[in-house]
Amino acid sequence: MAHGCGSQNSDDIVARKLTALAHPVRLATIRQLAAAGPTGLAAGRLAERLDVAPNALTFHLQKLAAAGLVESHREGQFVYYRAEFDALLALTDHLVGACCSEAEESCGPRCPTSRDR
Amino acid sequence: MAHGCGSQNSDDIVARKLTALAHPVRLATIRQLAAAGPTGLAAGRLAERLDVAPNALTFHLQKLAAAGLVESHREGQFVYYRAEFDALLALTDHLVGACCSEAEESCGPRCPTSRDR
DNA sequence: TCATCGATTCATGCACTATTGAAAAGCATG
DNA sequence: CATGCTTTTCAATAGTGCATGAATCGATGA
C-alpha cells in the first residue's frame, strides 16, 4: 500500500478505466456509443436515449473521457461523443490476459492462453 | 435480450461486476487468481503476493465473491479462492457485444461485429 | 487444554462519488 | 442585438466505499 504514486502501474490504469465503466449510466453510455460506431452521438441525443439529465450526463461523460474511453469533438452547437474502441478492446485483453500463465491445466476452451491469437 | 437472467437488467449485473473489478487490489487479485488457474490460491498466500493486510483482502474477496467473480472452498485451515472464468469471459463479451450494431461503418478489424465467431 | 497459525468479523474515521437544481457559457438564427 | 437551443459549470447535499486496528472464530499440533 501507498507505494509510489508517480509512475502508475498498468493495473492502476486499468482499474481507473474499470471505475469509469462501473456505473449503470456510464456503461449504458458506452454501449450506446459503441453501437453508434465511429460517428458517435451528440450529447443531447445521448441524454434523451438514456433518460438522464444533460448536466448529469456531462458529469459521466467527463469521467469516461478522463479515463480515455470516449472522445468528444464539436460540430456547430452540438458536441459529439464517440467511443475509443482501442481502449475498450485493450481493456478486455488485460482482464484475462495472464489467464492460467502459472497453471499446468487450462481454465477452459475459451481461455486466451489455450487458443491461438 | 440474449440471456434472460433474472429480474435485473443485464447492464446492472455487468455494472456490479465491473464495480467489483474496479479497484487496484481486486483487479490484481483477479489477475493473480487467473494466472493461478483452476486450482486457485490460499487467502494468506494471496495476501503475501499482493502485500495487503489479511482482513483487507477478505473485504475485497467478499466483494468479488458477491459479484460471482471468485469462489472459495476450505481445505483444512486454508481457504482457497479461484477465479470464475466464465463470468470473466462473459464480461468481456458484454463490453463490446453491440459494437457498431447501429452504424454503417465498422469500428475496426477487431470489432466483434465485423469478425466471425 | 493450551498455544499457534490462518482467516474472518466488527467498529470507527476518512475520503470520495453521485445527485440535484440553478446559473452560465458557446453557437446559431432572425 | 436579442432569442432560443445545446452543453457545461458550480455549489450543496446525501450516500457509499475503503483503510485501519482490535477482537473473534476455526483448525492444527504439542
Side-chain angles (χ1 to χ4, degrees):
Chain A
M1 41 272 247
H3 42 240
C5 298
S7 65
Q8 281 201 326
N9 186 357
S10 146
D11 267 5
D12 283 334
I13 297 176
V14 173
R16 178 184 302 264
K17 293 186 178 182
L18 287 172
T19 301
L21 282 176
H23 188 282
V25 170
R26 292 197 288 267
L27 183 55
T29 299
I30 279 288
R31 299 202 53 178
Q32 285 282 344
L33 292 180
T39 305
L41 250 67
R45 181 143 194 83
L46 210 46
E48 282 180 9
R49 290 202 186 186
L50 301 172
D51 194 27
V52 175
N55 56 350
L57 185 59
T58 296
F59 172 79
H60 293 300
L61 282 171
Q62 283 175 346
K63 288 216 165 274
L64 289 171
L69 295 173
V70 303
E71 259 195 356
S72 66
H73 67 105
R74 184 148 211 147
E75 269 187 37
Q77 35 182 352
F78 301 93
V79 177
Y80 281 83
Y81 285 86
R82 64 174 181 83
E84 284 279 17
F85 298 103
D86 287 342
L88 283 175
L89 294 171
L91 200 53
T92 62
D93 285 347
H94 187 89
L95 268 185
V96 291
C99 189
C100 302
S101 63
E102 299 180 359
E104 290 85 6
E105 32 179 353
S106 167
C107 64
R110 294 179 63 203
C111 178
T113 306
S114 71
R115 74 173 175 189
D116 54 340
R117 297 176 53 94
Chain B
M1 305 37 173
H3 345 255
C5 302
S7 58
Q8 276 196 327
N9 186 3
S10 159
D11 267 6
D12 282 335
I13 298 176
V14 173
R16 180 185 302 263
K17 294 186 178 181
L18 287 172
T19 302
L21 283 175
H23 188 280
V25 169
R26 293 197 288 266
L27 183 55
T29 298
I30 279 290
R31 299 201 62 195
Q32 285 282 342
L33 291 180
T39 306
L41 249 67
R45 181 143 193 84
L46 209 46
E48 282 180 11
R49 289 201 188 186
L50 300 173
D51 193 29
V52 176
N55 56 350
L57 184 60
T58 296
F59 172 79
H60 293 300
L61 282 171
Q62 283 175 346
K63 287 212 168 277
L64 289 171
L69 296 173
V70 303
E71 259 194 358
S72 66
H73 67 105
R74 184 147 208 149
E75 269 189 36
Q77 35 182 348
F78 302 94
V79 176
Y80 281 83
Y81 285 85
R82 65 174 180 82
E84 284 279 18
F85 298 103
D86 287 343
L88 283 175
L89 294 171
L91 199 54
T92 62
D93 285 347
H94 187 89
L95 268 184
V96 291
C99 189
C100 301
S101 63
E102 298 181 359
E104 289 87 7
E105 32 179 354
S106 167
C107 64
R110 294 179 62 203
C111 179
T113 306
S114 71
R115 73 174 176 188
D116 54 340
R117 292 180 53 95

